[in-house]
Each structure stands twice: as structure tokens, then as C-alpha cells.
Amino acid sequence: AQSVTQLDSQVPVFEEAPVELRCNYSSSVSVYLFWYVQYPNQGLQLLLKYLSGSTLVKSINGFEAEFNKSQTSFHLRKPSVHISDTAEYFCAVSPISGGYNKLIFGAGTRLAVHP
Amino acid sequence: NAGVTQTPKFQVLKTGQSMTLQCAQDMNHEYMSWYRQDPGMGLRLIHYSVGAGITDQGEVPNGYNVSRSTTEDFPLRLLSAAPSQTSVYFCASSATGQHSYEQYFGPGTRLTVT
């Protein structure tokens, strides 16, 4: 079985400040790792993913996440946030084999960017 | 290309009523799934399907029914609505094979059961 823990339910931050959203997971099998973003009143969108290879993955809008196998973490970071980054962010895992893309989500972190 | 569509966007039911939440995708994806989103709990998998005619239970299937007669459609049925089913429901789809990891989500249906 898998589980995902997002350590902060809410993160308030000022515009142009750096931010880190923390995610830890537990799994007895190898997993893929994801960050999804949900803007207000919308569905979820894939932000970035780790499948294999380089442990540092980046999105097109400046977010990055690093897979740390020893600490079973996949924290999301951005060096300078914008008002438009205000959203809820979900960390998720999926078993690599036989999972048929069964996503297991964390509870979410609400990022509020203030001017 | 509409992606994943869901109807209705909002619904209010009385306890004991039944209804069907509709989900359709036009990307020819084999895999489709239903999640419910509750505050502080993230999204939880209700049912999923790996192709037409094949469905299986997820983490929280009780009180819900699904069928998959076509690749495009994956309706979710509430048999006898209960206040505990008040939630936001999301449908998602994904391809199989090399890109099966990326799921595409619909805009959601907000359901209130009184």
C-alpha cells in the first residue's frame, strides 16, 4: 500500500519570495511521483512528474521538485512566486507496475501568494 | 478537442435520491477513473476502468456504481444518496502504454446531499 503526507495544509507567502511545499511518501513498491495543481474552481492539472533518471525535475512555469529516495520525499520548490501561483497543490504517487495509474494523493497544500 | 467533460457542474439531492454523474472524453483513452475530493483529504479513488466492459473498485467504492459500455463514457451512479456523499467529484482519463502515467481531469461536479 502507498500513502502520501503533505506536511503543510496552508502556506502563505509574499510575492517574489521563495516557497517550498513538502511531500513525503510511503510505499512497499517502486512508484512514480507527481505534483498536480488545482486553480480555484478548476480540475487538476499535472505540474511535473518523476519517472526515472535525473532526480531534479522542472516545470515550464519555474517550479521544480527533487526526488530523494533515502528520505522518501518529493518536495516542490519555486525561487520566486507570483500572485498567479495561488492554488492548491497535490502530491501523488502511482505504483510503477500493475497500478494502472492508480493515483494516491496527499491531502493538498493551499498556497496563498500575497502582494 | 474538449478533453474530459463532466455534467452537471452542480447538483443538490435529497437523501435517498439517485442520480448519475456523466463523464466523457474524446482522447481515445483506455483508462478512466472517478475520484472524490473532500477538504483535508485530497482525492480518493472511487472506481476505475481499464477499457470498455472492464471496471474495478478503488479506495472508496461503497454507495457508487459504474459501467463502461464505450471507450468515451464512464458514468458514476449514486444508488441512494447520503449526506456523506456530499463532495466534489472528478473524472479523469489517461492513455495506456508509454504515457499512461499522465491523467487528465475534468472540471468536476459539486454534489450536495441534504
Side-chain angles (χ1 to χ4, degrees):
Chain A
Q2 296 80 39
S3 66
V4 178
T5 302
Q6 291 184 242
L7 295 150
D8 306 290
S9 60
Q10 296 187 66
V11 174
V13 65
F14 287 109
E15 195 172 20
E16 297 183 8
V19 71
E20 178 180 77
L21 308 183
R22 297 177 293 169
C23 171
N24 286 97
Y25 71 94
S26 171
S27 178
S28 55
V29 299
S30 297
V31 294
Y32 294 137
L33 296 131
F34 307 88
W35 277 99
Y36 280 82
V37 58
Q38 184 180 31
Y39 297 105
N41 300 313
Q42 294 187 26
L44 279 71
Q45 304 172 33
L46 181 64
L47 183 62
L48 46 75
K49 60 188 180 289
Y50 173 77
L51 306 180
S52 64
S54 172
T55 56
L56 182 66
V57 292
K58 300 185 179 185
S59 73
I60 59 173
N61 59 351
F63 282 94
E64 62 180 37
E66 186 154 22
F67 169 52
N68 187 319
K69 188 173 183 179
S70 63
Q71 298 188 4
T72 59
S73 68
F74 191 54
H75 301 332
L76 181 70
R77 301 183 183 94
K78 189 170 186 181
S80 176
V81 294
H82 302 287
I83 295 286
S84 59
D85 293 324
T86 293
E88 189 152 21
Y89 293 79
F90 292 94
C91 182
V93 301
S94 176
I96 288 177
S97 64
Y100 281 113
N101 221 352
K102 290 184 198 177
L103 286 170
I104 295 92
F105 286 90
T109 297
R110 192 171 297 274
L111 175 65
V113 181
H114 302 285
Chain B
N1 189 335
V4 180
T5 57
Q6 293 182 237
T7 56
K9 296 193 77 171
F10 302 94
Q11 183 70 49
V12 178
L13 289 178
K14 294 189 188 308
T15 297
Q17 287 184 317
S18 63
M19 80 159 294
T20 299
L21 279 62
Q22 301 292 344
C23 174
Q25 53 91 9
D26 61 0
M27 297 174 282
N28 201 32
H29 285 167
E30 289 294 320
Y31 183 89
M32 296 185 74
S33 53
W34 277 101
Y35 295 86
R36 59 177 289 172
Q37 182 181 23
D38 302 293
M41 302 187 73
L43 280 78
R44 292 178 292 168
L45 182 65
I46 304 172
H47 285 286
Y48 66 97
S49 169
V50 300
I54 307 169
T55 64
D56 206 346
Q57 296 181 352
E59 183 184 354
V60 288
N62 292 341
Y64 306 96
N65 222 349
V66 292
S67 61
R68 183 97 178 269
S69 56
T70 67
T71 300
E72 294 78 20
D73 301 298
F74 190 44
L76 178 73
R77 296 181 188 84
L78 279 69
L79 308 173
S80 177
S84 61
Q85 294 179 304
T86 293
S87 187
V88 182
Y89 291 85
F90 289 99
C91 180
S93 74
S94 66
T96 53
Q98 183 182 2
H99 298 289
S100 64
Y101 53 79
E102 181 164 359
Q103 292 204 30
Y104 295 82
F105 284 81
T109 294
R110 187 174 294 274
L111 175 69
T112 302
V113 183
T114 61

